[in-house]
Amino acid sequence: MIKNTGFMAASTAVRLLSSMVLFIALARLYGPEEFGRFFYNFTLSTLFLLLLDYGFAPQMLREIGRDPADVGRIMGRVLYARLLLLLPMLGLSALYFVAWPQRLPDLPIFGLLFLSAILASFGEFFLVAFRGVGKFHEETKIATASSVLHFALLCGMASLGCSLLTLAAGFVVSRLVGMVWSWRALRRRVAPIALRGHTPSSGLATLRTSFAYAVDAGFGSFFQQVDTLIINHYLGPASVGVYQAGMRFLQGAMQFSPVLANVYLPAIAGQLNQREQLAKIAGKLNFQMLGLGVAGWCGFALLGGPVTAVLYGVKYQALTPLWPYIGLLMLLRYVAASQGVLLTATGSQSIRVWAQIVALAVLLGSAPALIAHFGLSGMLMSLSLTAMALLLLYTATLLLRNIPTGFSPGSGALAGCVLAAALFLLKT
């Protein structure tokens, strides 16, 4: 398991070129206003893509982990269901511009970014099979090559001063190459996708059985994206640019959460009938998630200010006071993520759905007032309240169902002490 975690960490590290380092470079090169405009359209395309992704990845990992020999049929069944979702997804995106015609000037940029997001989604879908059958080293090779190409192409274009529309076209080219690369590797090194024999009725049946995963993944991704929409509405694109310049670091640091989830999900699913072994694995998962959260909190609180000065300059001075709040949010999300993985692996996905609904209510209920009073810091406060609500709901459910939470007296005390210290430092 340690070896697989290492491969997944390496794969994630190279993906940071496109999810973190690239956007940091774009933020510096284009400034808060233009970067905020570009990132808003990028976020909008990602939100519409939630319908296509439909939360299939964790369910596929669980199914492939139980029956690796059937990977071709599982991939084919899910791919057919994904194709059924393309048309309604495109229809929803068109309705958005009908409802908000003032957004029409950004339609070309959005359209290209939306197409690139679709291509990237299919490329990631093909790579899920590598994780399910334990070929993490193969996925790392493909992810490395694709991410380096993506980073080099787009950074080169941005440094030449190309327009936002041209930059969006570069996203399409890069993601197309990555998708074809992943598909060819899947056929050669894992198994061909078995698409024959599927019908619309079987595809709809797949969507029904995956609904709980879709809602959970959709809410989770929505929480990670909706802040951009809220800030743009209340504070404008320049504030989006400042805020997202800092959140790129959080997104990069949070990439290790899905790494651990992808590694531990199949392992936990295979030990559901072995209580002692299940508790041991849960403890390892919890300790690693907690350790990453604490490290992130310390790093952001101590190094955020110097990072702003060195990487972004005076245009992003408003980012400096946000770093302690970003660190607290990372800590809460990592601790909550460990409990969420355990719920998914033990078949309690529907509970995650209801917890996400409650958390969404917390977010939408608190964000407007906190932003009005605290500005950008208020958005981070609202997100932290949301993460805390998820943590409490997840942990309570595991305890009620007599499922190991992974918390030991030592790890529980550590988490409590760090949270108390973080809140105290923010107050002072």
Side-chain angles (χ1 to χ4, degrees):
M1 186 175 294
I2 295 176
K3 182 179 180 181
N4 290 341
T5 303
F7 281 123
M8 282 300 298
S11 176
T12 299
V14 297
R15 283 188 174 93
L16 293 183
L17 287 174
S18 57
S19 65
M20 175 183 169
V21 181
L22 172 63
F23 281 109
I24 291 172
L26 296 182
R28 182 179 179 89
L29 291 170
Y30 286 96
E33 187 78 28
E34 285 291 279
F35 175 65
R37 180 188 170 205
F38 185 84
F39 199 89
Y40 179 84
N41 285 283
F42 178 84
T43 299
L44 196 62
S45 67
T46 304
L47 285 173
F48 284 116
L49 192 72
L50 294 178
L51 181 61
L52 182 63
D53 288 338
Y54 205 75
F56 285 125
Q59 184 184 23
M60 290 167 59
L61 285 171
R62 195 164 181 257
E63 292 184 8
I64 296 172
R66 288 181 167 180
D67 190 5
D70 203 26
V71 59
R73 186 192 63 80
I74 294 171
M75 294 289 290
R77 175 173 57 81
V78 176
L79 177 58
Y80 188 87
R82 283 172 61 94
L83 294 174
L84 292 179
L85 293 171
L86 274 174
L87 187 59
M89 181 189 65
L90 294 173
L92 285 174
S93 64
L95 284 175
Y96 170 82
F97 285 94
V98 172
W100 285 277
Q102 66 270 25
R103 298 286 305 154
L104 283 173
D106 277 350
L107 181 58
I109 295 175
F110 167 81
L112 289 172
L113 290 175
F114 193 25
L115 176 57
S116 75
I118 294 171
L119 296 172
S121 176
F122 277 102
E124 284 295 316
F125 166 75
F126 296 141
L127 291 180
V128 171
F130 288 88
R131 302 172 209 158
V133 299
K135 294 188 176 182
F136 295 94
H137 61 292
E138 297 287 351
E139 185 203 358
T140 300
K141 293 177 183 178
I142 300 166
T144 299
S146 299
S147 296
V148 169
L149 170 65
H150 184 74
F151 178 78
L153 173 63
L154 295 169
C155 272
M157 294 175 67
S159 63
L160 292 174
C162 67
S163 67
L164 296 182
L165 184 63
T166 305
L167 187 69
F171 269 74
V172 175
V173 173
S174 172
R175 294 311 191 189
L176 177 61
V177 172
M179 185 195 71
V180 173
W181 211 329
S182 301
W183 173 70
R184 288 171 59 87
L186 174 66
R187 291 192 54 169
R188 292 197 310 266
R189 299 170 192 174
V190 180
I193 297 176
L195 266 175
R196 290 184 179 180
H198 297 290
T199 63
S201 60
S202 67
L204 291 174
T206 299
L207 295 178
R208 284 194 297 270
T209 59
S210 303
F211 182 73
Y213 290 89
V215 175
D216 176 52
F219 273 117
S221 298
F222 184 74
F223 284 143
Q224 296 177 24
Q225 308 290 340
V226 71
D227 51 355
T228 297
L229 306 186
I230 294 173
I231 291 171
N232 189 75
H233 176 75
Y234 285 105
L235 301 175
S239 292
V240 171
V242 171
Y243 176 81
Q244 287 297 343
M247 293 299 280
R248 292 310 85 209
F249 284 88
L250 177 63
Q251 186 193 29
M254 288 302 303
Q255 290 295 318
F256 295 99
S257 175
V259 166
L260 293 174
N262 287 329
V263 172
Y264 277 93
L265 265 173
I268 295 173
Q271 299 292 335
L272 294 181
N273 297 322
Q274 304 292 329
R275 171 85 183 180
E276 184 176 345
Q277 189 64 22
L278 178 61
K280 187 179 296 184
I281 296 175
K284 291 180 180 178
L285 169 65
N286 185 283
F287 183 77
Q288 291 180 24
M289 289 283 197
L290 177 59
L292 287 168
V294 172
W297 169 65
C298 294
F300 284 133
L302 295 175
L303 302 177
V307 165
T308 301
V310 172
L311 287 182
Y312 294 129
V314 295
K315 292 182 179 179
Y316 288 87
Q317 285 181 342
L319 174 58
T320 300
L322 302 183
W323 288 112
Y325 294 95
I326 294 175
L328 174 62
L329 179 58
M330 177 178 171
L331 173 61
L332 290 169
R333 282 185 172 176
Y334 262 109
V335 178
S338 67
Q339 308 299 281
V341 171
L342 289 167
L343 284 174
T344 297
T346 54
S348 301
Q349 194 71 14
S350 60
I351 300 299
R352 292 192 63 169
V353 173
W354 288 108
Q356 297 279 10
I357 292 173
V358 172
L360 177 61
V362 172
L363 176 67
L364 297 180
S366 62
L370 289 172
I371 290 174
H373 191 72
F374 297 102
L376 287 177
S377 298
M379 185 72 251
L380 291 164
M381 294 176 189
S382 180
L383 289 171
S384 294
L385 289 175
T386 300
M388 178 63 77
L390 286 176
L391 171 60
L392 294 175
L393 289 169
Y394 287 169
T395 305
T397 301
L398 290 171
L399 291 172
L400 289 172
R401 296 195 170 192
N402 198 28
I403 299 171
T405 65
F407 278 111
S408 65
S411 63
L414 175 61
C417 290
V418 173
L419 284 173
L423 293 172
F424 175 78
L425 290 174
L426 285 176
K427 184 178 179 180
T428 55

